[in-house]
Short mmCIF file of all heavy atoms in Angstrom, two decimals:
data_model
loop_
_atom_site.label_atom_id
_atom_site.label_comp_id
_atom_site.label_asym_id
_atom_site.label_seq_id
_atom_site.Cartn_x
_atom_site.Cartn_y
_atom_site.Cartn_z
N GLU A 216 44.03 24.07 25.34
CA GLU A 216 43.33 24.67 24.19
C GLU A 216 44.25 24.66 22.97
O GLU A 216 43.85 24.32 21.87
CB GLU A 216 42.94 26.10 24.56
CG GLU A 216 41.92 26.69 23.64
CD GLU A 216 41.53 28.12 24.04
OE1 GLU A 216 41.70 28.51 25.21
OE2 GLU A 216 41.05 28.83 23.14
N GLU A 217 45.52 25.00 23.21
CA GLU A 217 46.50 25.05 22.08
C GLU A 217 46.71 23.66 21.52
O GLU A 217 47.03 23.49 20.33
CB GLU A 217 47.85 25.60 22.54
CG GLU A 217 47.84 27.03 23.06
CD GLU A 217 47.15 27.16 24.41
OE1 GLU A 217 47.45 26.36 25.31
OE2 GLU A 217 46.29 28.05 24.55
N GLY A 218 46.52 22.64 22.38
CA GLY A 218 46.71 21.25 21.93
C GLY A 218 45.76 20.86 20.81
O GLY A 218 45.98 19.88 20.11
N PHE A 219 44.66 21.63 20.64
CA PHE A 219 43.71 21.34 19.56
C PHE A 219 44.22 21.84 18.20
O PHE A 219 43.69 21.47 17.17
CB PHE A 219 42.35 22.00 19.85
CG PHE A 219 41.38 21.04 20.52
CD1 PHE A 219 41.24 21.01 21.89
CD2 PHE A 219 40.62 20.15 19.75
CE1 PHE A 219 40.37 20.12 22.50
CE2 PHE A 219 39.75 19.27 20.34
CZ PHE A 219 39.62 19.25 21.73
N GLU A 220 45.26 22.70 18.21
CA GLU A 220 45.72 23.30 16.94
C GLU A 220 46.11 22.26 15.89
O GLU A 220 45.67 22.33 14.74
CB GLU A 220 46.85 24.31 17.18
CG GLU A 220 46.40 25.61 17.85
CD GLU A 220 45.23 26.28 17.13
OE1 GLU A 220 45.25 26.32 15.88
OE2 GLU A 220 44.30 26.75 17.80
N PRO A 221 46.96 21.25 16.26
CA PRO A 221 47.28 20.24 15.24
C PRO A 221 46.06 19.48 14.73
O PRO A 221 45.99 19.12 13.55
CB PRO A 221 48.23 19.29 15.95
CG PRO A 221 48.53 19.84 17.29
CD PRO A 221 47.66 21.03 17.52
N LEU A 222 45.05 19.30 15.60
CA LEU A 222 43.83 18.61 15.17
C LEU A 222 43.06 19.48 14.17
O LEU A 222 42.52 18.98 13.18
CB LEU A 222 42.93 18.29 16.37
CG LEU A 222 43.29 17.07 17.20
CD1 LEU A 222 44.58 17.24 17.98
CD2 LEU A 222 42.17 16.71 18.16
N LYS A 223 43.06 20.80 14.44
CA LYS A 223 42.36 21.72 13.53
C LYS A 223 43.02 21.70 12.17
O LYS A 223 42.34 21.76 11.12
CB LYS A 223 42.37 23.15 14.09
CG LYS A 223 41.39 23.34 15.23
CD LYS A 223 41.39 24.79 15.70
CE LYS A 223 40.54 24.92 16.95
NZ LYS A 223 40.73 26.19 17.64
N GLU A 224 44.35 21.62 12.16
CA GLU A 224 45.07 21.62 10.87
C GLU A 224 44.71 20.36 10.08
O GLU A 224 44.44 20.41 8.89
CB GLU A 224 46.56 21.69 11.13
CG GLU A 224 47.27 22.33 9.96
CD GLU A 224 48.79 22.36 10.14
OE1 GLU A 224 49.24 22.48 11.29
OE2 GLU A 224 49.48 22.24 9.10
N LEU A 225 44.68 19.21 10.78
CA LEU A 225 44.33 17.97 10.10
C LEU A 225 42.88 18.04 9.59
O LEU A 225 42.60 17.66 8.44
CB LEU A 225 44.48 16.79 11.08
CG LEU A 225 44.08 15.41 10.52
CD1 LEU A 225 44.89 15.05 9.29
CD2 LEU A 225 44.26 14.32 11.59
N ALA A 226 41.97 18.58 10.44
CA ALA A 226 40.56 18.69 10.02
C ALA A 226 40.45 19.57 8.77
O ALA A 226 39.70 19.27 7.84
CB ALA A 226 39.72 19.25 11.15
N ASN A 227 41.24 20.66 8.74
CA ASN A 227 41.24 21.55 7.58
C ASN A 227 41.65 20.84 6.32
O ASN A 227 41.02 20.96 5.28
CB ASN A 227 42.23 22.70 7.81
CG ASN A 227 41.53 23.91 8.31
OD1 ASN A 227 40.32 24.03 8.14
ND2 ASN A 227 42.27 24.80 8.95
N VAL A 228 42.75 20.09 6.43
CA VAL A 228 43.28 19.37 5.26
C VAL A 228 42.26 18.35 4.75
O VAL A 228 42.11 18.14 3.54
CB VAL A 228 44.61 18.68 5.61
CG1 VAL A 228 45.07 17.74 4.53
CG2 VAL A 228 45.68 19.72 5.87
N LEU A 229 41.50 17.74 5.68
CA LEU A 229 40.54 16.71 5.29
C LEU A 229 39.15 17.29 5.01
O LEU A 229 38.22 16.54 4.70
CB LEU A 229 40.43 15.66 6.40
CG LEU A 229 41.68 14.82 6.66
CD1 LEU A 229 41.51 13.97 7.91
CD2 LEU A 229 41.99 13.93 5.47
N GLY A 230 38.99 18.59 5.14
CA GLY A 230 37.67 19.21 4.94
C GLY A 230 36.69 18.76 6.00
O GLY A 230 35.48 18.64 5.74
N GLY A 231 37.18 18.52 7.20
CA GLY A 231 36.32 17.98 8.27
C GLY A 231 36.05 18.99 9.37
O GLY A 231 36.41 20.16 9.28
N ALA A 232 35.38 18.50 10.42
CA ALA A 232 35.02 19.34 11.56
C ALA A 232 35.75 18.84 12.80
O ALA A 232 36.15 17.69 12.88
CB ALA A 232 33.51 19.26 11.80
N ILE A 233 35.89 19.74 13.77
CA ILE A 233 36.52 19.39 15.04
C ILE A 233 35.43 18.95 16.04
O ILE A 233 34.36 19.56 16.11
CB ILE A 233 37.28 20.60 15.61
CG1 ILE A 233 38.58 20.82 14.84
CG2 ILE A 233 37.57 20.47 17.08
CD1 ILE A 233 39.67 19.80 15.18
N GLY A 234 35.71 17.88 16.77
CA GLY A 234 34.83 17.44 17.84
C GLY A 234 35.65 17.22 19.08
O GLY A 234 36.88 17.39 19.08
N ALA A 235 34.98 16.84 20.17
CA ALA A 235 35.71 16.65 21.43
C ALA A 235 34.98 15.69 22.34
O ALA A 235 33.78 15.43 22.18
CB ALA A 235 35.84 18.01 22.13
N SER A 236 35.74 15.16 23.30
CA SER A 236 35.11 14.37 24.36
C SER A 236 34.66 15.32 25.45
O SER A 236 35.09 16.49 25.50
CB SER A 236 36.13 13.39 24.94
OG SER A 236 37.09 14.13 25.67
N ARG A 237 33.85 14.81 26.35
CA ARG A 237 33.46 15.67 27.47
C ARG A 237 34.66 15.96 28.36
O ARG A 237 34.74 17.03 28.96
CB ARG A 237 32.35 14.98 28.27
CG ARG A 237 31.95 15.78 29.46
CD ARG A 237 30.51 15.57 29.81
NE ARG A 237 30.32 15.61 31.24
CZ ARG A 237 29.24 15.17 31.85
NH1 ARG A 237 28.27 14.63 31.15
NH2 ARG A 237 29.12 15.27 33.15
N GLY A 238 35.59 15.01 28.38
CA GLY A 238 36.81 15.25 29.17
C GLY A 238 37.48 16.54 28.72
O GLY A 238 37.88 17.37 29.55
N ALA A 239 37.60 16.73 27.41
CA ALA A 239 38.25 17.95 26.88
C ALA A 239 37.41 19.18 27.16
O ALA A 239 37.94 20.26 27.47
CB ALA A 239 38.48 17.78 25.38
N CYS A 240 36.09 19.04 27.07
CA CYS A 240 35.21 20.20 27.32
C CYS A 240 35.26 20.58 28.80
O CYS A 240 35.38 21.76 29.14
CB CYS A 240 33.76 19.89 26.92
SG CYS A 240 33.55 19.47 25.19
N ASP A 241 35.17 19.55 29.67
CA ASP A 241 35.20 19.83 31.12
C ASP A 241 36.51 20.50 31.52
O ASP A 241 36.54 21.33 32.43
CB ASP A 241 35.06 18.52 31.92
CG ASP A 241 33.63 18.01 31.94
OD1 ASP A 241 32.72 18.78 31.58
OD2 ASP A 241 33.42 16.83 32.32
N ALA A 242 37.59 20.13 30.83
CA ALA A 242 38.90 20.71 31.17
C ALA A 242 39.07 22.10 30.55
O ALA A 242 40.13 22.71 30.68
CB ALA A 242 40.00 19.78 30.69
N ASP A 243 38.02 22.58 29.84
CA ASP A 243 38.02 23.92 29.26
C ASP A 243 38.99 24.05 28.08
O ASP A 243 39.47 25.14 27.78
CB ASP A 243 38.39 24.96 30.34
CG ASP A 243 37.48 26.17 30.25
OD1 ASP A 243 36.53 26.12 29.46
OD2 ASP A 243 37.77 27.17 30.94
N TYR A 244 39.30 22.94 27.42
CA TYR A 244 40.17 23.00 26.25
C TYR A 244 39.39 23.47 25.02
O TYR A 244 39.96 23.88 24.02
CB TYR A 244 40.80 21.65 25.92
CG TYR A 244 41.59 21.01 27.02
CD1 TYR A 244 41.84 19.64 27.00
CD2 TYR A 244 42.11 21.75 28.08
CE1 TYR A 244 42.57 19.02 28.00
CE2 TYR A 244 42.83 21.15 29.09
CZ TYR A 244 43.05 19.78 29.06
OH TYR A 244 43.76 19.18 30.05
N CYS A 245 38.05 23.31 25.08
CA CYS A 245 37.21 23.69 23.94
C CYS A 245 35.79 23.89 24.43
O CYS A 245 35.46 23.61 25.57
CB CYS A 245 37.26 22.60 22.87
SG CYS A 245 36.62 21.06 23.48
N ASP A 246 34.95 24.36 23.50
CA ASP A 246 33.57 24.70 23.82
C ASP A 246 32.70 23.44 23.90
O ASP A 246 32.93 22.47 23.17
CB ASP A 246 33.04 25.61 22.72
CG ASP A 246 31.76 26.26 23.13
OD1 ASP A 246 31.83 27.29 23.81
OD2 ASP A 246 30.68 25.72 22.77
N TYR A 247 31.67 23.48 24.76
CA TYR A 247 30.77 22.32 24.88
C TYR A 247 29.99 22.04 23.60
O TYR A 247 29.46 20.94 23.44
CB TYR A 247 29.79 22.52 26.05
CG TYR A 247 30.42 22.17 27.39
CD1 TYR A 247 30.85 23.16 28.25
CD2 TYR A 247 30.57 20.84 27.76
CE1 TYR A 247 31.45 22.83 29.47
CE2 TYR A 247 31.18 20.51 28.97
CZ TYR A 247 31.60 21.50 29.81
OH TYR A 247 32.20 21.17 31.00
N SER A 248 29.91 23.02 22.71
CA SER A 248 29.18 22.77 21.45
C SER A 248 29.89 21.70 20.62
O SER A 248 29.33 21.16 19.67
CB SER A 248 29.05 24.06 20.64
OG SER A 248 30.34 24.56 20.33
N LEU A 249 31.15 21.40 20.97
CA LEU A 249 31.91 20.38 20.22
C LEU A 249 31.76 18.99 20.84
O LEU A 249 32.26 18.00 20.28
CB LEU A 249 33.40 20.74 20.18
CG LEU A 249 33.78 22.06 19.54
CD1 LEU A 249 35.30 22.21 19.48
CD2 LEU A 249 33.21 22.17 18.13
N GLN A 250 31.10 18.91 21.99
CA GLN A 250 31.07 17.62 22.70
C GLN A 250 30.27 16.55 21.94
O GLN A 250 29.14 16.79 21.49
CB GLN A 250 30.44 17.79 24.08
CG GLN A 250 30.48 16.49 24.89
CD GLN A 250 29.76 16.61 26.22
OE1 GLN A 250 29.91 17.62 26.91
NE2 GLN A 250 28.99 15.60 26.58
N ILE A 251 30.90 15.39 21.83
CA ILE A 251 30.26 14.26 21.15
C ILE A 251 29.98 13.20 22.20
O ILE A 251 30.83 12.90 23.04
CB ILE A 251 31.20 13.72 20.06
CG1 ILE A 251 31.29 14.74 18.94
CG2 ILE A 251 30.74 12.36 19.52
CD1 ILE A 251 32.40 14.50 17.97
N GLY A 252 28.80 12.62 22.14
CA GLY A 252 28.51 11.52 23.08
C GLY A 252 27.09 11.54 23.55
O GLY A 252 26.23 12.23 22.99
N GLN A 253 26.88 10.77 24.60
CA GLN A 253 25.53 10.57 25.14
C GLN A 253 24.86 11.90 25.48
O GLN A 253 23.67 12.08 25.24
CB GLN A 253 25.66 9.72 26.39
CG GLN A 253 24.36 9.24 26.97
CD GLN A 253 24.64 8.44 28.24
OE1 GLN A 253 25.51 7.59 28.26
NE2 GLN A 253 23.90 8.72 29.28
N THR A 254 25.63 12.81 26.07
CA THR A 254 25.05 14.10 26.44
C THR A 254 25.56 15.21 25.52
O THR A 254 25.41 16.38 25.82
CB THR A 254 25.38 14.44 27.92
OG1 THR A 254 26.76 14.13 28.15
CG2 THR A 254 24.54 13.66 28.87
N GLY A 255 26.12 14.82 24.39
CA GLY A 255 26.57 15.79 23.40
C GLY A 255 25.95 15.46 22.05
O GLY A 255 24.83 14.94 21.99
N LYS A 256 26.67 15.74 21.00
CA LYS A 256 26.13 15.49 19.65
C LYS A 256 26.37 14.04 19.24
O LYS A 256 27.30 13.40 19.71
CB LYS A 256 26.82 16.40 18.63
CG LYS A 256 26.49 17.87 18.86
CD LYS A 256 26.78 18.70 17.63
CE LYS A 256 26.13 20.07 17.73
NZ LYS A 256 26.96 21.08 18.34
N VAL A 257 25.50 13.54 18.38
CA VAL A 257 25.69 12.21 17.79
C VAL A 257 26.15 12.43 16.37
O VAL A 257 25.52 13.16 15.61
CB VAL A 257 24.37 11.41 17.82
CG1 VAL A 257 24.54 10.09 17.09
CG2 VAL A 257 23.94 11.17 19.25
N VAL A 258 27.29 11.83 16.01
CA VAL A 258 27.82 12.04 14.66
C VAL A 258 28.02 10.68 13.99
O VAL A 258 28.26 9.68 14.66
CB VAL A 258 29.16 12.80 14.69
CG1 VAL A 258 28.97 14.20 15.25
CG2 VAL A 258 30.22 12.05 15.47
N THR A 259 27.89 10.67 12.68
CA THR A 259 28.10 9.44 11.91
C THR A 259 28.90 9.76 10.67
O THR A 259 28.43 9.58 9.54
CB THR A 259 26.75 8.80 11.49
OG1 THR A 259 25.78 9.05 12.50
CG2 THR A 259 26.89 7.31 11.26
N PRO A 260 30.12 10.27 10.82
CA PRO A 260 30.88 10.64 9.62
C PRO A 260 31.44 9.40 8.89
O PRO A 260 31.42 8.30 9.44
CB PRO A 260 32.03 11.48 10.20
CG PRO A 260 32.22 10.93 11.56
CD PRO A 260 30.88 10.49 12.06
N ASP A 261 31.97 9.62 7.71
CA ASP A 261 32.65 8.54 6.99
C ASP A 261 33.94 8.20 7.73
O ASP A 261 34.38 7.06 7.73
CB ASP A 261 32.99 8.98 5.56
CG ASP A 261 31.72 9.17 4.75
OD1 ASP A 261 30.68 8.62 5.15
OD2 ASP A 261 31.76 9.88 3.72
N LEU A 262 34.59 9.22 8.31
CA LEU A 262 35.86 9.01 9.00
C LEU A 262 35.86 9.77 10.33
O LEU A 262 35.59 10.98 10.35
CB LEU A 262 37.02 9.53 8.12
CG LEU A 262 38.41 9.53 8.74
CD1 LEU A 262 38.87 8.12 9.10
CD2 LEU A 262 39.43 10.17 7.78
N TYR A 263 36.12 9.04 11.42
CA TYR A 263 36.18 9.66 12.74
C TYR A 263 37.58 9.40 13.31
O TYR A 263 38.00 8.26 13.47
CB TYR A 263 35.14 9.02 13.68
CG TYR A 263 35.00 9.72 15.02
CD1 TYR A 263 34.09 10.77 15.17
CD2 TYR A 263 35.74 9.34 16.11
CE1 TYR A 263 33.95 11.43 16.38
CE2 TYR A 263 35.60 9.99 17.34
CZ TYR A 263 34.70 11.03 17.47
OH TYR A 263 34.56 11.68 18.67
N ILE A 264 38.32 10.47 13.57
CA ILE A 264 39.66 10.31 14.13
C ILE A 264 39.59 10.76 15.60
O ILE A 264 39.27 11.92 15.88
CB ILE A 264 40.70 11.14 13.34
CG1 ILE A 264 40.72 10.68 11.87
CG2 ILE A 264 42.09 11.00 13.97
CD1 ILE A 264 41.66 11.46 10.98
N ALA A 265 39.83 9.80 16.49
CA ALA A 265 39.77 10.10 17.94
C ALA A 265 41.19 10.19 18.46
O ALA A 265 41.94 9.22 18.42
CB ALA A 265 39.02 9.00 18.67
N ALA A 266 41.57 11.38 18.95
CA ALA A 266 42.94 11.57 19.42
C ALA A 266 42.93 11.90 20.91
O ALA A 266 42.27 12.84 21.33
CB ALA A 266 43.60 12.72 18.64
#
Side-chain angles (χ1 to χ4, degrees):
E216 195 179 339
E217 298 70 48
F219 265 95
E220 288 308 318
L222 279 69
K223 284 183 187 166
E224 207 183 328
L225 178 58
N227 263 340
V228 169
L229 294 172
I233 285 286
S236 70
R237 177 150 146 195
C240 300
D241 283 346
D243 224 7
Y244 303 160
C245 62
D246 193 84
Y247 278 103
S248 61
L249 300 185
Q250 184 185 317
I251 290 166
Q253 189 182 313
T254 43
K256 294 199 165 90
V257 174
V258 297
T259 326
D261 293 340
L262 174 62
Y263 188 89
I264 301 178

